[in-house]
Structures are given as structure tokens and as C-alpha cells.
Amino acid sequence: MRPTTWVLAAVVACLALLAPLAGASNTASFADPAADAPSAAPDLTSVQVTNDDLGNVVFRISIPNRTALLDPDFVAILVDADGRQHTGCSSGTFGAEYALDVLSGRFLFGRCSSGSWSFKKKPASFGGSFGNSVLTLKANRGDLGNAKAFQFRIGAATTSAADPAYDFAPDIGLAPWSYKVVAPQLAVKKPPARKAKACKKKQRRAVRCFRRTAGRHS
């Protein structure tokens, strides 16, 4: 085994002793006035955001004037993960770095890259569904910049008419909504004494071997 591989193996063995703390989650509810946009638009009303102990964030958006999303319907959640409006896309107005979208029944995940949106690759944690007039979109906070808190806005549109009809939540001119992800950080649990000693011994041996080898090639 190569010295560098030995070092990595020793580190991984010790990292295996990491475990998450238990018992953390959060739920927040938001409201947008009903029928505050053209009747053709998906009408965004109540919004619920939750997360579990693993940091999986779920958005549930009520759209009471839809029993199914129509082919031209579009809904987007824009997430500002760093809380700075001058970063991300739409810099200077609402600097969103991530977008969770549904367009004509297709669920899309967007990342802001160099000032433009990219929808090339969905993270494994991302998903969506629609039923009982509720749109559900989800992603892990690790795929949302690992943010402990974020701001978000939702926009909806339909292009069935000659002119697109829109609804926004919160309404234009109001501050974005904020959500705090309450999930445990990884904490180091002390291993049993025997395992701790064995781990340290392997680390010291690996480091000594690495130094000797590096010295020969210096």
C-alpha cells in the first residue's frame, strides 16, 4: 500500500467514528393572498417549508386554482443561500444561487454559474410532485449551498394566453421570505479507549512512513 493511501486509510477509519446528533427539525408557514393575480396564472397561496434531521428541505406550495399543472404552467422557487443580493443570478435585485422549478410537468434544478442559470444536472436529493392542488419540491441543504438559513421567493406563470399571467409570493416590493434550517451538525463522539489508541497508533505510523518516503524523494 502506498504511504499516501495508508494515511488516507487511517484518517477514514477515524472519521468513521463521526455520528450526527439526534433530534432537530423545523417547520415554517408563509401566506400569499389568494386571487391576487390574473385568474389564468397559478395562484400561489399558502407555503410550508420543513426540514428533517438530515437537512432535507421540503417546500409545499398550495395552488388552489389547479387540480393538475397545465402544459404551459411554470413555477420556480428561487433560493438565495448566502443572503447577499449582489451575488448569484439577478444580481442587485435578488441574488439567487439555486432554482427549484417545474415547467410543463418537468422538474428542474438550476444553479447560478457565472451569472447564468445552468440546469444540466439534478442532484440526487432533488425531487418534485403535484397532487391535491399542492406542489412539492425538495432538496437537501447540501445541494443548496449547505446554508443554515436562506431567503426565497416563488414565481408562477402560464403562457396559455396571448400575454403571460404571473403570480409572485411574496408580492413584488415585499421582502423575501426567510427560512432557518434546523438540523444537527456532525459531532465527534469519543471512541472506546482501545479504538482511540489503535486509531492514533495507525495515524502516527502512517505519518512516520509518509515522512520517511517524502524525505527520500526530496
Side-chain angles (χ1 to χ4, degrees), residues 51 55 57 79-83 97-98 140-151 179-183 185:
N51 76 265
V57 182
V79 176
D80 180 5
D82 63 9
E97 290 84 23
Y98 303 95
N140 189 272
R141 75 171 180 185
D143 296 309
L144 299 173
N146 205 31
K148 295 181 179 179
F150 57 80
Q151 297 180 330
Y179 180 77
K180 183 178 181 181
V181 181
V182 180
Q185 299 294 320

Side-chain angles (χ1 to χ4, degrees), residues 159-172:
T159 56
S160 57
D163 295 320
Y166 301 95
D167 189 19
F168 298 97
D171 290 333
I172 293 175

Side-chain angles (χ1 to χ4, degrees), residues 4-217:
T4 52
T5 306
W6 195 356
V7 173
L8 289 173
V11 172
V12 169
C14 291
L15 287 177
L17 296 168
L18 292 173
L21 294 171
S25 61
N26 191 27
T27 300
S29 297
F30 308 87
D32 185 63
D36 63 338
S39 59
D43 186 22
L44 309 173
T45 56
S46 62
V47 179
Q48 184 188 68
V49 188
T50 63
N51 76 265
D52 62 15
D53 287 355
L54 298 178
N56 295 307
V57 182
V58 180
F59 300 84
R60 295 181 176 88
I61 306 166
S62 293
I63 309 177
N65 67 339
R66 292 288 192 274
T67 56
L69 292 178
L70 305 177
D71 184 61
D73 286 341
F74 171 67
V75 181
I77 303 173
L78 298 178
V79 176
D80 180 5
D82 63 9
R84 293 180 291 178
Q85 67 179 19
H86 295 292
T87 61
C89 290
S90 301
S91 178
T93 54
F94 182 67
E97 290 84 23
Y98 303 95
L100 288 69
D101 300 353
V102 57
L103 173 62
S104 299
R106 295 174 57 224
F107 295 97
L108 307 168
F109 186 92
R111 299 174 181 84
C112 183
S113 177
S114 301
S116 299
W117 288 109
S118 173
F119 295 87
K120 291 182 178 179
K121 187 177 180 181
K122 296 180 186 178
S125 71
F126 174 68
S129 62
F130 186 83
N132 298 319
S133 297
V134 175
L135 171 63
T136 301
L137 293 166
K138 60 182 181 179
N140 189 272
R141 75 171 180 185
D143 296 309
L144 299 173
N146 205 31
K148 295 181 179 179
F150 57 80
Q151 297 180 330
F152 71 100
R153 291 184 180 277
I154 306 173
T158 189
T159 56
S160 57
D163 295 320
Y166 301 95
D167 189 19
F168 298 97
D171 290 333
I172 293 175
L174 298 180
W177 288 328
S178 298
Y179 180 77
K180 183 178 181 181
V181 181
V182 180
Q185 299 294 320
L186 288 177
V188 178
K189 289 187 176 181
K190 291 185 178 180
R194 291 181 181 178
K195 289 186 178 180
K197 289 179 181 178
C199 186
K200 290 179 181 179
K201 187 175 181 180
K202 288 180 180 179
Q203 282 183 311
R204 288 195 295 267
R205 189 186 306 159
V207 170
R208 285 198 301 270
C209 180
F210 179 77
R211 286 175 177 170
R212 287 198 301 269
T213 304
R216 295 193 195 108
H217 295 86

